[in-house]
Amino acid sequence: MEGHYIALGINVLTLFLLKLCALQAEGQKQPIASALYVFGDSTIDPGNNNFLATIVKADFLPYGRDFPNGQPTGRFTNGRLITDQLSELAGLPDLLPASLDPEFRGQKLLTGASFGSSASGYADSTSITLNVLPLEKQVENFRLYKAQLVKQFGHETANRTVSQALFAISGGTDDFANNYFINPLTRKKYTIEQFQDLLLNSLSKFIQNVYNEGATKIGIVGLPPFGCLPSQISLHNIVENTCVEEFNEVASSFNSKIKALIEKIRPNFPGVLIAYLDIYDKLFEIIKSPTKYGFEETRKGCCGTGLLETAILCNPSSIICHDPSKYVFWDSFHPTTECYQIIANDVFKQTLAYINSPTQRN
């Protein structure tokens, strides 16, 4: 009988050790990159605009109501952004900090940040109107960050961190939705094709600039079907109450031009991965087949009427839907964190496919 209890004790101990090893292995997930650096607009801005003199902010409730501790951070959604979720999927911290946040210092410098600014775009005119950070200023802030990285950790660590990091840019929606299609001066100056080329020229300069700073893995996020955003339907197609097909066609054609640009310039960056990351197809599928993904509402956001509210129009006095997880959009312009999670999973799969493909580098 004593031997039976000893054997039982050994089995229990063995199971405990196996479980402990499994938990340790799970907790020590190997990151696929040293850091994540992102640039662009409100889809990736975790609060940089909090530190700017602009009305384009989300540092108040109900933004962030489903964030840890229910704290608004400046993220234009109810919880985490797609970049927070991508960072976690990549084996990095599950919250990507804002580069302008005073708390972004010390060891946090080593795993990346967002340099993006809500309402920013590829065109300077898109950003200047609302006093947010244009793309060139975002890159300048990255250079300042890199200098700080060198100062604190030395050239070798800084160069290794940057060279092994993932860089990503997500922009363009504000250029069209909040500039070209509402500003008669912009439309008078450019045809839609000329404006697209202007944005592509800015994107090309961005790629060159981050390459000069040591980037070796660069992801270019395409445009979403912005004609299906609740605000765009309300402003431009309220009678039919359906997606603005013209806008979606512009997004599709611009995405095709991004892919063509990447193929054209790739030989200029030997050994560098430049990848196109699609979000159009997944978001369009979610909007057209919401129940497949557990959603019920696609026409309006969770905040207020959901038809036009964003930024200060979505505020502590706004009526909020009962269950944001059933909504594709949080406000009239930005997805819920639940929708972002689905898109993040899809983008991460694309990223892994590019990284693991030996044919993607020259």
Side-chain angles (χ1 to χ4, degrees), residues 34-194:
S34 59
L36 174 62
Y37 302 118
V38 296
F39 305 78
D41 55 26
S42 57
T43 58
I44 57 86
D45 177 10
N48 283 315
N49 278 20
N50 296 355
F51 308 97
L52 303 177
T54 177
I55 62 171
V56 187
K57 296 185 180 185
D59 56 345
F60 46 83
L61 291 172
Y63 290 103
R65 54 155 275 174
D66 299 312
F67 197 77
N69 299 320
Q71 293 296 315
T73 61
R75 289 167 169 83
F76 274 87
T77 188
N78 56 310
R80 295 196 300 160
L81 291 173
I82 186 173
T83 39
D84 297 316
Q85 296 160 350
L86 283 172
S87 182
E88 181 179 24
L89 288 168
L92 298 168
D94 62 357
L95 295 177
L96 193 66
S99 64
L100 296 183
D101 189 337
E103 296 300 316
F104 178 54
R105 60 179 187 268
Q107 293 296 314
K108 291 181 180 180
L109 296 174
L110 292 171
T111 51
S114 171
F115 297 84
S117 180
S118 299
S120 183
Y122 289 118
D124 286 346
S125 59
T126 302
S127 308
I128 292 172
T129 304
L130 293 168
N131 196 38
V132 299
L133 301 177
L135 190 53
E136 188 172 325
K137 178 62 177 176
Q138 294 181 31
V139 175
E140 180 182 329
N141 285 346
F142 175 79
R143 294 191 184 102
L144 294 174
Y145 151 81
K146 188 179 174 185
Q148 186 68 17
L149 198 62
V150 170
K151 182 179 179 180
Q152 291 198 28
F153 301 99
H155 284 280
E156 183 178 349
T157 297
N159 291 337
R160 181 175 63 251
T161 300
V162 172
S163 67
Q164 295 177 1
L166 292 173
F167 285 71
I169 181 168
S170 176
T173 299
D174 287 284
D175 290 302
F176 292 104
N178 295 329
N179 186 347
Y180 190 84
F181 286 112
I182 67 170
N183 189 339
L185 295 178
T186 304
R187 291 198 304 278
K188 183 177 181 180
K189 188 175 182 180
Y190 304 102
T191 65
I192 189 64
E193 290 78 13
Q194 290 171 333

Side-chain angles (χ1 to χ4, degrees), residues 320-334:
I320 304 302
C321 68
H322 175 68
D323 186 357
S325 70
K326 300 300 181 183
Y327 281 63
V328 172
F329 295 99
W330 168 248
D331 61 18
S332 71
F333 207 83
H334 305 94

